[in-house]
Amino acid sequence: MAVGARSGHDEPEERPDRFGEASSSGSAGEPPSEAGPTDGDTAEDGGPDEPRKPRSFWKELPLLIGIALLLALLIKTFLVQAFSIPSESMMNTLQRGDRVLVDKLTPWFGSEPERGEVVVFHDPGGWLEGEPTPEPNVVQKFLSFIGLMPSAEEKDLIKRVIAVGGDTVGCKKGGKVVVNGKPLDETAYIHPGSTPCDDEPFGPIKVPEGRIWVMGDNRQNSLDSRYHQELPGSGTIADDQVVGRAVVVAWPVTRWSTLPVPDTFDQPGLSTAAAATAAAEMAGPGALGLAGALPVILWRRKRRTAA
């Protein structure tokens, strides 16, 4: 029997839709129309296919400002802070009006001031007595609080560390500053025309542990450790009074520079001499005790031999 004999013609018989009923939108032989959006997917209903409108810039702005202020406050508290140079005591290294950036991070990890560093420290008491303090306006106070402007209210000073805890430092008129028996060559940083200490010779002074001895680079115009020996600490500054090390002159841009440690503080024997002095001081009582005990030991041994 030939295919299609049942219908009496050679055309293929109509078959039902593959998946069941034919589309209700047209006859069986017509292609189905394009599917429109289903319920819940229309643009009016805000379905998942609708692109989201970007937030307004003015709505984002307060959030961005808040994040920026928070970051600035964290940076000022833990990383770096700007300070303004109020006097000429550090010329020519630093000039009045310079802005320096101070590293506040390393002290959090136990770093202590080292010889030759330029450091900012809080007034330990009496150093800035009688000095006028400018009264900032509200905007200046706010910018100082978040670290975008040097503080005008805090009584801070900036000097160079000459000696640290355990060092012996001194200077005679007409001579050089001597640390642990090693004279310092200060020509790289001392103000031209200045003398190391002719205006105020001092020492020798033993710097207590945990404290530093500081001096300005403009020696004849610097009320530094030499001039405060009558105060508690005898002119030295406690390590925990140090805010941080000044590392960069950031403003004005024409004076941008780093503040490295001068080579004279790396001279051989400077730290070794301090360690040797400390060891000798520690060994002193022990040597005296041994010298006192030796005759007693010899006397007792002599008695045992005689017996």
Side-chain angles (χ1 to χ4, degrees):
M1 178 186 287
V3 176
R6 289 183 301 170
S7 60
H9 54 78
D10 295 336
E11 295 180 4
E13 63 180 337
E14 181 178 305
R15 297 190 179 190
D17 186 75
R18 181 179 177 183
F19 296 100
E21 300 177 0
S23 171
S24 60
S25 59
S27 62
E30 296 178 356
S33 62
E34 293 184 1
T38 58
D39 291 345
D41 289 343
T42 61
E44 291 78 12
D45 292 336
D49 293 336
E50 179 190 1
R52 291 188 177 184
K53 293 182 180 180
R55 264 187 167 184
S56 168
F57 170 75
W58 299 108
K59 290 182 180 180
E60 295 278 0
L61 186 60
L63 178 62
L64 295 175
I65 293 176
I67 293 174
L69 293 179
L70 178 61
L71 289 175
L73 183 58
L74 291 174
I75 289 172
K76 174 218 172 179
T77 304
F78 299 105
L79 299 179
V80 295
Q81 185 176 357
F83 284 85
S84 178
I85 306 304
S87 71
E88 299 174 351
S89 67
M90 284 295 294
M91 287 181 62
N92 278 344
T93 305
L94 300 171
Q95 297 183 6
R96 184 193 293 268
D98 284 353
R99 264 59 169 181
V100 297
L101 297 183
V102 174
D103 169 24
K104 301 178 70 175
L105 177 63
T106 51
W108 285 90
F109 294 94
S111 174
E112 297 178 352
E114 297 183 3
R115 305 179 196 92
E117 294 180 345
V118 176
V119 297
V120 171
F121 56 94
H122 298 309
D123 182 2
W127 284 46
L128 293 176
E129 188 175 352
E131 291 288 332
T133 303
E135 183 62 31
N137 57 39
V138 175
V139 176
Q140 289 174 324
K141 287 183 178 179
F142 176 72
L143 294 177
S144 297
F145 175 72
I146 62 175
L148 297 181
M149 183 176 177
S151 174
E153 292 181 305
E154 294 179 0
K155 290 190 173 184
D156 296 321
L157 301 97
I158 185 165
K159 305 290 181 188
R160 189 179 298 277
V161 179
I162 302 298
V164 297
D167 289 346
T168 299
V169 59
C171 182
K172 296 180 179 179
K173 188 170 184 177
K176 295 182 176 181
V177 175
V178 178
V179 179
N180 299 327
K182 301 288 184 179
L184 300 180
D185 180 5
E186 301 187 287
T187 54
Y189 56 87
I190 200 170
H191 184 268
S194 290
T195 60
C197 66
D198 283 3
D199 58 313
E200 188 71 19
F202 65 96
I205 294 170
K206 178 68 177 294
V207 181
E209 292 292 340
R211 305 185 74 87
I212 56 176
W213 179 272
V214 298
M215 299 174 73
D217 290 354
N218 190 4
R219 295 289 161 78
Q220 275 65 61
N221 192 14
S222 176
L223 297 178
D224 45 41
S225 289
R226 299 171 294 165
Y227 289 90
H228 300 98
Q229 297 181 57
E230 77 285 355
L231 297 175
S234 302
T236 61
I237 309 297
D239 288 352
D240 58 12
Q241 290 289 316
V242 175
V243 177
R245 175 188 174 185
V247 291
V248 173
V249 180
W251 186 264
V253 292
T254 54
R255 284 187 42 76
W256 188 93
S257 61
T258 58
L259 298 169
V261 173
D263 292 340
T264 189
F265 292 96
D266 294 326
Q267 62 177 297
L270 190 62
S271 298
T272 306
T277 302
E281 290 181 352
M282 292 179 63
L288 290 175
L290 180 60
L294 188 58
V296 177
I297 294 173
L298 293 175
W299 177 73
R300 291 186 63 184
R301 179 171 292 184
K302 186 177 181 180
R303 284 194 60 184
R304 287 178 181 176
T305 304

